[in-house]
Amino acid sequence: MDRVALRGLKARGHHGVFPKEREEGQTFIVDLVLGLDTRPAAADDDLAKTVHYGIVAEEVVDVVQGEPVDLIETLAERIAQQCLSHAGVQEVEVVVHKPDAPITVPFDDVTITITRSRR
């Protein structure tokens, strides 16, 4: 299976369990690795036979900016399902970063990584 990766998609969302997170929002960063067979697209040099990563990027940003959820696990699942809605995508790895998570000690990042497939 071939891989198309999008790294560092940024969007502001209002996800979290605390009222301040819901009210003020924060930046979330998403990394994706889409698994698909790119041979048909390469053979015919045809965008319609692969995944349009520009559209996927816009859809992921829409999910992050959309309906708030408590958990980044839920957000990652919603993103994965959106990616799998594209016919050619057989598998997706989603990493959601929450670099401004409300943690009381110094830290660089909080992430959740999930892998989902059609199988």
Side-chain angles (χ1 to χ4, degrees):
M1 192 168 318
D2 303 319
R3 304 273 183 238
V4 173
L6 289 93
R7 307 235 188 255
L9 297 171
K10 294 180 184 175
R12 190 158 187 86
H14 293 265
H15 312 288
V17 296
F18 297 112
K20 183 177 177 180
E21 293 178 292
R22 291 293 182 104
E23 293 165 12
E24 296 179 11
Q26 60 192 292
T27 298
F28 292 85
I29 302 165
V30 178
D31 301 324
L32 302 173
V33 179
L34 308 170
L36 64 152
D37 184 357
T38 63
R39 288 175 293 192
D44 295 337
D45 199 26
D46 186 353
L47 178 60
K49 294 182 178 180
T50 187
V51 64
H52 191 308
Y53 50 80
I55 290 173
V56 172
E58 291 170 0
E59 292 172 348
V60 168
V61 166
D62 287 346
V63 171
V64 174
Q65 293 175 339
E67 181 184 348
V69 296
D70 288 343
L71 303 177
I72 59 173
E73 291 87 344
T74 306
L75 181 60
E77 184 67 34
R78 288 184 177 178
I79 292 167
Q81 294 309 314
Q82 181 60 48
C83 292
L84 288 171
S85 74
H86 292 267
V89 177
Q90 298 300 307
E91 180 178 279
V92 62
E93 179 183 272
V94 177
V95 181
V96 175
H97 300 257
K98 189 175 179 180
D100 299 321
I103 297 175
T104 60
V105 297
F107 74 102
D108 289 329
D109 199 5
V110 173
T111 66
I112 176 76
T113 302
I114 67 170
T115 302
R116 299 292 183 265
S117 67
R118 294 182 183 278
R119 299 178 230 153

